[in-house]
Amino acid sequence: MNQKSGNAFRRMMNVRGMRGAMTAFAGLIVIYLAFGIINPTVFSGQNVMNLLRSMSKYLIIGIGQSYVLITGNIDLSIGAVVGMSAMIAAKLMTMGISPAVAILVTLGCCLLIGVVNGFLVGKCQLPPFIATLGTMFVARGVAYMVNGNRNTDAISSGIGKEAADQFQSIFYYGKTAGIYNTFWIALILFTVFFFLLSKTRTGRHIYAIGSNIEAAKLSGVSVFFTITKTYLVSAFCSFVVGLILCGQANMGNMEAGNMYEMYAVAAGVIGGISPLGGTGILLGTFAGAAVWQTLENGLNMIGVQVGIQRLVIGVIVVFAVLLDVVFRNGLLKKRPAGNKTN
């Protein structure tokens, strides 16, 4: 029985990206306990609920960025699309348009950015950094233009207090089974996209492109369509987070989502998603988002300045990427005695 359990554990740990995910979860436990010992309020039920709600935004955008990172690309437009989503949805609702219609129109606009990103990177073969940097400015420009370079009024001014309260309840303030709906939304998206990445042909194609794009082409993988799908996932996740921020503030903020593309990268790489492509699982992104938010929450609760918080998290991100490079290049493996150099 013990031998079977050991074999099952080894098989689980041999799953692509599982080691990075488990390392992130171990780090999460250590960080959470350390902050809790310093300030026991960290262990309070309300703080845990708030932590889960806050990490949900990072988890959702982390999912989108992880899909893109696994192909060896990056999406810098995520934060701007979040802001565009919040502004378009809020503007439409302040005009008296029903939340359902506003959500559908906003979704279409966000997915259009995903299609453009996929076309520029997958078809035109532009460097993803340049392509998504361009769409980042476009999306942020739209966010500014939607309401004439100013934040929107309260959404309740257009659709009424009852409808606004319902919208806010669904996306931010409401609870189901004692847990904020924001977390349930994130958990549902995580489950769906985890299945698509790990159990479908599209998921296998995503990993194939990230591992060796030329080999993937020779194997019949449609690089353009697969890369476009990853950018559509990223745009969709940004759209959802935009609605969450809109619900949180009861309005559209032109700066909503600022720096979120970096938060998304951090959630992925802390959890073992390789920025070099081909490696990582969404379970790691879950752990990475939790680590990020636990660090932010804990550092706040012990009174650490914001500048130091950013410094600490930045060092952790760089260290995570450095470890990925070290393990990929086998720098920790012992070299044969005959290969020693003077």
Side-chain angles (χ1 to χ4, degrees):
M1 183 69 180
N2 290 336
Q3 185 177 358
K4 288 182 179 179
S5 299
N7 290 336
F9 178 77
R10 281 193 292 271
R11 285 197 299 272
M12 182 187 74
M13 293 306 294
N14 285 331
V15 171
R16 178 171 38 196
M18 184 61 74
R19 292 179 185 273
M22 291 299 102
T23 301
F25 274 115
L28 171 64
I29 294 170
V30 171
I31 292 168
Y32 183 68
L33 291 177
F35 283 130
I37 292 171
I38 297 171
N39 185 349
T41 308
V42 170
F43 294 140
S44 69
Q46 186 57 50
N47 185 62
V48 171
M49 290 299 102
N50 289 334
L51 196 153
L52 289 176
R53 178 170 61 177
S54 297
M55 70 159 277
S56 298
K57 296 176 290 186
Y58 299 144
L59 173 57
I60 295 170
I61 58 173
I63 290 169
Q65 190 72 274
S66 295
Y67 263 68
V68 177
L69 288 175
I70 291 172
T71 63
N73 297 305
I74 193 169
D75 187 357
L76 296 182
S77 67
I78 283 178
V81 175
V82 168
M84 186 179 80
S85 170
M87 283 296 293
I88 292 176
K91 176 62 177 178
L92 291 173
M93 285 187 280
T94 59
M95 294 169 59
I97 296 174
S98 71
V101 174
I103 287 171
L104 288 176
V105 172
T106 304
L107 174 61
C109 294
C110 293
L111 291 183
L112 180 60
I113 298 293
V115 170
V116 172
N117 282 335
F119 178 78
L120 294 176
V121 176
K123 193 73 171 178
C124 301
Q125 298 184 356
L126 287 181
F129 185 92
I130 300 301
T132 60
L133 181 66
T135 53
M136 177 186 77
F137 282 110
V138 169
R140 186 63 71 182
V142 171
Y144 273 81
M145 292 167 57
V146 162
N147 198 46
N149 291 315
R150 62 186 181 87
N151 298 332
T152 71
D153 297 327
I155 61 175
S156 55
S157 65
I159 58 175
K161 187 176 185 305
E162 184 177 349
D165 287 346
Q166 186 177 15
F167 177 85
Q168 290 185 278
S169 176
I170 291 172
F171 287 102
Y172 196 76
Y173 291 104
K175 290 183 178 181
T176 301
I179 299 175
Y180 286 110
N181 291 335
T182 310
F183 179 73
W184 290 118
I185 292 170
L187 190 61
I188 290 170
L189 292 180
F190 170 80
T191 303
V192 171
F193 287 119
F194 179 86
F195 174 81
L196 292 175
L197 188 61
S198 60
K199 301 296 183 181
T200 66
R201 184 173 62 178
T202 296
R204 291 192 293 273
H205 289 177
I206 290 171
Y207 281 108
I209 291 172
S211 298
N212 189 323
I213 191 169
E214 295 304 323
K217 289 177 181 177
L218 293 174
S219 300
V221 174
S222 174
V223 173
F224 166 53
F225 284 112
T226 303
I227 288 178
T228 300
K229 288 176 185 177
T230 65
Y231 279 110
L232 283 171
V233 170
S234 182
F236 176 79
C237 290
S238 301
F239 150 76
V240 174
V241 174
L243 296 182
I244 290 172
L245 295 183
C246 179
Q248 178 182 0
N250 189 34
M251 60 179 286
N253 188 324
M254 295 183 297
E255 297 298 332
N258 188 31
M259 291 295 293
Y260 270 40
E261 60 277 355
M262 297 298 104
Y263 299 161
V265 171
V269 300
I270 290 173
I273 302 290
S274 174
L276 302 178
T279 303
I281 55 176
L282 289 190
L283 191 63
T285 305
F286 191 106
V291 167
W292 175 278
Q293 184 54 44
T294 302
L295 275 170
E296 195 173 72
N297 176 266
L299 291 171
N300 271 326
M301 296 197 72
I302 63 175
V304 175
Q305 295 178 356
V306 174
I308 297 177
Q309 292 179 32
R310 295 292 178 262
L311 187 150
V312 170
I313 296 172
V315 169
I316 290 174
V317 171
V318 172
F319 183 70
V321 176
L322 181 62
L323 279 181
D324 175 61
V325 173
V326 168
F327 285 120
R328 272 179 176 262
N329 295 335
L331 299 180
L332 296 182
K333 294 180 180 178
K334 284 189 175 181
R335 296 183 180 181
N339 290 343
K340 288 183 178 179
T341 58
N342 293 327

